[in-house]
Amino acid sequence: MKYLFLFITLLMIPSGLSAQTETVAVPKGISLTFNKGEGENAVYLDIQLEMKESDAINFDYWLNNPSEMPVFSLQYADQKLDCPLTVKRQLSGNAVGFKITGFTPSTFDRFLNKDHDNQITIRVDKDVRINLFDERGNPSRIWIIKADIINTLINEELKITEDERTDFLTSLNNFYYHENKVDFGVNPGRDSIKTNYILSLRFQNAYNRKRFLSCNENTKRMPVYWNLDARLSTNFKDSLNYIKIYPANFLFENFSGKLPYQLSVKLGNESDQSFINKRVAADASVNVIVPNLINLTTAESNRLRLKPVITAGIKGYYDYSNDITSFASGMAHIDGYYYIPVFNNYAIIVEATSFYDFSKERNPSGKIQGNYSITLGAEIPKTGFKAMFKYTDGKSDINFRQGSIISIGLLMDFFQEKKNKPK
């Protein structure tokens, strides 16, 4: 009798409360729409599904089960932000739609200007569960759409086109390339003992890239960068060697004007390789991109042409070099960097600096001094390197000694240039 009672009880349970089947569903695609309004900025995400005419989505499922509502987050480069985003369901035909809000105006602008900043994305943090009605109107099935699949589709939707990439590289990204470069060369001597090996490098990056985005417009956070600029060689007496380390570098940028610029304020230490000449320095400078001056490409080569970067700045320093009485002074400087593509597979890189030191100790004659380098690079296919011939000449702004050197070696190709498609 006990089992008969249980059997009758099960038959009396409404069919709508029966166990629901779960199936992993693969979406046909997604669409992302960005709506910038006066009251709020919203992203509309539609996940397109392969559905029968009899299929219907139970939109009350998320209302009755709020813990099943999809969770979205912002990500900049490879770092996730903990900004609270609001998600609401949207009716969207044979698609399941969500309205995502909670973006600050500056963060939303980065989405809209992806040709200038293509590192921002939006991600779903867990699988999306969708409840479907059966033909009798009872919720009977759960479709599960994997978060990895949705995020892959979102990345494809946000990926910049070749034309947008060209605009990004030629208008702004030279700010990146002129601050991130490595080359390795050999200064050949008459014998192996006199042969010198030279490493030149320059790197700049942010400590915490999440600071490019803000969760609250009233509490904007400024990204802090570090910067390393050095020329090292096996000849420690080479007058052109230097090491400049800036653990604190603050950048203020404006990319929306006709003349994009960066303001930089950095604090650090500068020395020669032997650490005999050394100083603590505070440098304030402005970087601007100017129109191209030289065109050595052809219609057939379709090379991307990065524009010249000009830097003008002033530096205050405290010199505590060996064997001198420490003193404080300053220096004004102008620097230039120009990457010039040549025909199909070559490039010329011109770098120059001119400086005027205000101290009598370092510049008793009161002259403007400087140095320059000219590099000829030839692409080595499928390696990410260019073969390099480099000539450097002039005075160092660290020890103020004259030097000139020829080196042959490899230039690391951070640019990884792609040919621009002819229009």
Side-chain angles (χ1 to χ4, degrees):
M1 292 293 293
K2 180 177 67 174
Y3 296 108
L4 179 61
F5 176 77
L6 289 173
F7 178 72
I8 294 173
T9 302
L10 289 172
L11 290 177
M12 294 175 64
I13 297 175
S15 60
L17 298 178
S18 60
Q20 300 185 30
T21 60
E22 296 189 353
T23 306
V24 175
V26 178
K28 294 192 299 182
I30 67 163
S31 67
L32 280 174
T33 305
F34 296 88
N35 183 29
K36 185 173 184 179
E38 294 183 3
E40 65 176 3
N41 299 310
V43 175
Y44 294 89
L45 170 66
D46 286 342
I47 305 173
Q48 293 141 14
L49 303 169
E50 192 74 52
M51 300 176 63
K52 300 177 183 178
E53 290 185 5
S54 58
D55 290 331
I57 297 174
N58 176 17
F59 284 97
D60 289 335
Y61 173 72
W62 296 294
L63 185 63
N64 299 327
N65 302 274
S67 63
E68 297 294 342
M69 178 66 77
V71 178
F72 291 88
S73 61
L74 286 170
Q75 182 169 303
Y76 193 85
D78 56 353
Q79 296 186 358
K80 177 183 173 182
L81 278 79
D82 297 323
C83 297
L85 298 178
T86 303
V87 182
K88 296 181 180 179
R89 57 186 175 83
Q90 292 284 118
L91 298 175
S92 187
N94 281 354
V96 56
F98 300 99
K99 177 184 177 182
I100 308 163
T101 57
F103 307 99
T104 61
S106 61
T107 295
F108 204 75
D109 285 342
R110 287 188 180 270
F111 274 117
L112 300 180
N113 296 293
K114 63 180 181 178
D115 55 329
H116 288 172
D117 191 340
N118 61 343
Q119 299 191 77
I120 182 174
T121 187
I122 188 169
R123 298 178 62 82
V124 61
D125 294 340
K126 63 180 183 179
D127 297 342
V128 175
R129 296 172 64 88
I130 301 171
N131 189 214
L132 297 178
F133 291 114
D134 60 19
E135 294 178 353
R136 291 177 292 180
N138 296 316
S140 60
R141 289 169 291 161
I142 297 289
W143 279 3
I144 301 173
I145 305 176
K146 293 295 184 181
D148 290 345
I149 295 177
I150 299 174
N151 291 331
T152 298
L153 293 172
I154 291 175
N155 289 338
E156 287 294 322
E157 189 81 6
L158 292 175
K159 187 169 65 176
I160 63 176
T161 65
E162 283 300 314
D163 287 341
E164 288 170 333
R165 181 181 184 276
T166 299
D167 292 340
F168 180 48
L169 289 172
T170 56
S171 65
L172 295 177
N173 214 25
N174 207 23
F175 281 139
Y176 169 83
Y177 289 112
H178 111 279
E179 290 291 356
N180 291 272
K181 58 192 182 70
V182 177
D183 65 67
F184 174 78
V186 177
N187 173 231
R190 294 181 180 178
D191 53 58
S192 59
I193 297 177
K194 293 183 179 180
T195 297
N196 296 316
Y197 299 92
I198 303 165
L199 175 66
S200 297
L201 54 90
R202 183 183 296 166
F203 292 113
Q204 176 175 283
N205 212 334
Y207 286 109
N208 190 342
R209 286 180 286 182
K210 291 194 295 186
R211 289 182 174 269
F212 282 107
L213 305 181
S214 61
C215 299
N216 187 334
E217 199 69 15
N218 296 324
T219 56
K220 291 184 178 180
R221 300 178 298 173
M222 180 187 303
V224 180
Y225 292 78
W226 57 266
N227 184 285
L228 171 63
D229 185 8
R231 181 188 186 275
L232 309 173
S233 101
T234 53
N235 177 14
F236 275 56
K237 296 182 180 180
D238 188 334
S239 61
L240 297 175
N241 292 343
Y242 64 89
I243 302 173
K244 299 179 180 180
I245 302 174
Y246 304 103
N249 186 4
F250 304 92
L251 288 179
F252 308 86
E253 302 169 334
N254 185 348
F255 296 156
S256 59
K258 293 184 178 180
L259 187 65
Y261 68 84
Q262 287 180 332
L263 294 176
S264 171
V265 178
K266 52 190 177 184
L267 308 173
N269 190 82
E270 303 175 343
S271 71
D272 57 20
Q273 186 176 341
S274 61
F275 296 101
I276 295 175
N277 296 280
K278 48 195 174 181
R279 64 195 181 204
V280 177
D283 186 288
S285 60
V286 57
N287 298 329
V288 296
I289 293 177
V290 299
N292 268 307
L293 306 174
I294 301 172
N295 184 4
L296 299 180
T297 63
T298 64
E300 292 76 18
S301 60
N302 294 314
R303 299 282 297 277
L304 296 178
R305 298 172 59 214
L306 297 182
K307 298 175 182 177
V309 177
I310 303 297
T311 302
I314 190 164
K315 177 187 302 183
Y317 65 81
Y318 177 75
D319 194 314
Y320 63 104
S321 300
N322 296 355
D323 303 325
I324 69 165
T325 301
S326 301
F327 67 94
S329 187
M331 174 189 298
H333 61 92
I334 297 177
D335 314 289
Y337 175 87
Y338 194 12
Y339 180 102
I340 307 169
V342 181
F343 302 126
N344 286 324
N345 301 305
Y346 301 96
I348 296 173
I349 302 173
V350 179
E351 297 179 77
T353 183
S354 179
F355 56 89
Y356 178 82
D357 192 283
F358 300 117
S359 71
K360 295 295 183 181
E361 292 86 349
R362 294 299 185 188
N363 189 19
S365 58
K367 293 182 178 179
I368 297 175
Q369 304 175 77
N371 59 72
Y372 68 93
S373 70
I374 299 176
T375 304
L376 173 62
E379 179 184 347
I380 304 175
K382 300 180 180 180
T383 64
F385 289 92
K386 284 183 169 67
M388 175 193 77
F389 176 88
K390 184 175 184 178
Y391 176 72
T392 306
D393 183 66
K395 286 190 175 182
S396 164
D397 65 349
I398 302 292
N399 55 34
F400 297 85
R401 291 164 50 200
Q402 179 73 31
S404 63
I405 198 167
I406 293 173
S407 57
I408 302 170
L410 295 175
L411 172 69
M412 187 175 289
D413 191 2
F414 280 94
F415 189 17
Q416 290 292 295
E417 179 185 357
K418 294 181 181 179
K419 299 292 189 298
N420 188 15
K421 294 181 180 179
K423 298 181 179 179

